[in-house]
């Protein structure tokens, strides 16, 4: 099944306690596309890059069968640039620099060939732009959206309007509490679902994720990653693995949603092992499925009589 991915395509400067890079490919749409490319070869990317965008990076997308008809190249400026530094506690990061560049004028135009996409991934961009995408597509089976505190605080009305057209929202625990204005995560989840999304995933960083779908709550374990190097893009990669799996299986039943959450966690656990999207460049099917099995083993709870 085809997957439409809309979000940022960027260059990032990243500093973690383990190393530093001045410039590496990044952006939400990049991570979502690369992660989902391991499951489906019908990925359609909509974003914008500037005149500095390297052929090498275009070729990376092409090598993963990511269609680039919807990637606008704006020669009037440079690609969006973001710089961040992680603390010793890798859950904490400071944004040191954000240069919007051509992203400032980004207007997502969905090519006709993409309008029938069955699955839509709205990466973390301004909510009004996310909504613009929804106006251009023809009744997809599943719209999945990410957002962040910046939009929850800055453009709450636009965000709530966009949420009405979303089937599955993927956010982290602090964002869920802030959006619902509610400290209890379970109550917050109900409140967020009342805003529009049928289903909700709350990511808890290195502590796993909660899936709320139908009447069910599924608690996904966190993989104890030993080689954690750079958490950048882990959230987007989670979304890519999740959607890639759903697009591949074309099955939205609650049991398969659980598999999708684990597949998202599997891909995110690989992503953090190297700088930027480096680790997502050459994974194997065997590595992915074997880590999926490790996730299963992690959470087997023996029964008691
Ligand atoms: P994550 O670590 O999942 O939050 O995603 C990190 C990616 O988000 C980086 O590759 C950045 O280029 C991108 N990013 C940072 N700030 C923004 C922003 N304001 N809008 C869109 N993308 C952003």
């Amino acid at each position: 099944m085809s997957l439409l991915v809309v979000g940022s395509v960027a260059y990032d400067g990243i500093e973690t306690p383990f190393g530093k890079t001045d410039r590496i490919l990044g952006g939400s749409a990049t991570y979502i596309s690369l992660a989902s490319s391991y499951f489906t070869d019908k990925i359609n990317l909509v974003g914008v890059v500037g005149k500095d965008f390297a052929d090498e990076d275009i070729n990376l997308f092409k090598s993963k069968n990511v269609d680039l008809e919807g990637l606008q190249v704006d020669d009037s400026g440079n690609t969006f640039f973001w710089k961040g530094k992680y603390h010793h506690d890798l859950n904490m990061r400071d944004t040191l620099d954000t240069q919007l560049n051509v992203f400032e004028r980004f207007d997502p135009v969905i090519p006709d060939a993409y309008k029938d996409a069955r699955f839509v991934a709205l990466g973390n961009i301004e909510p009004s732009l996310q909504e613009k995408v929804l106006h251009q597509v023809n009744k997809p089976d599943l719209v999945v959206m990410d957002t962040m505190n910046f939009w929850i605080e800055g453009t709450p009305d636009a965000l709530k309007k966009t949420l009405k057209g979303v089937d599955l929202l993927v956010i982290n625990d602090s964002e869920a509490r802030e959006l619902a204005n509610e400290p209890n995560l379970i109550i917050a989840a109900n409140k967020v679902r009342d805003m529009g999304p049928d289903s909700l995933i709350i990511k808890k960083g290195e502590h796993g994720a909660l899936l709320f779908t139908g009447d069910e709550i599924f608690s996904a374990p966190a993989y104890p990653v030993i080689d954690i190097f750079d958490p950048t893009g882990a959230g987007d990669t989670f979304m890519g693995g999740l959607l890639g799996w759903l697009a591949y299986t074309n099955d939205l039943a609650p049991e398969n949603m659980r598999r999708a959450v684990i597949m998202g966690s599997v891909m995110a656990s690989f992503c953090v092992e190297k700088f930027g999207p480096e680790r997502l460049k050459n994974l194997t099917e065997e590595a992915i499925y074997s880590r999926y099995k490790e996730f299963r083993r992690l959470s087997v709870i023996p029964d008691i009589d």
Side-chain angles (χ1 to χ4, degrees), residues 11-13 22-23 79-83 97-101:
Y11 283 119
D12 294 340
D22 290 331
R23 191 176 167 88
T79 304
F80 174 66
F81 179 77
W82 173 81
K83 189 172 174 183
D97 194 7
T98 301
Q99 296 167 24
L100 289 174
N101 299 330

Side-chain angles (χ1 to χ4, degrees), residues 29 40 47 50 74 82 94 106 145 151 166 178 184 233 269 284 295:
T40 172
D74 181 343
W82 173 81
D94 297 325
F106 179 46
M145 177 178 141
W151 307 120
V166 170
E178 189 166 358
N184 178 310
S269 77
T284 61
F295 263 91

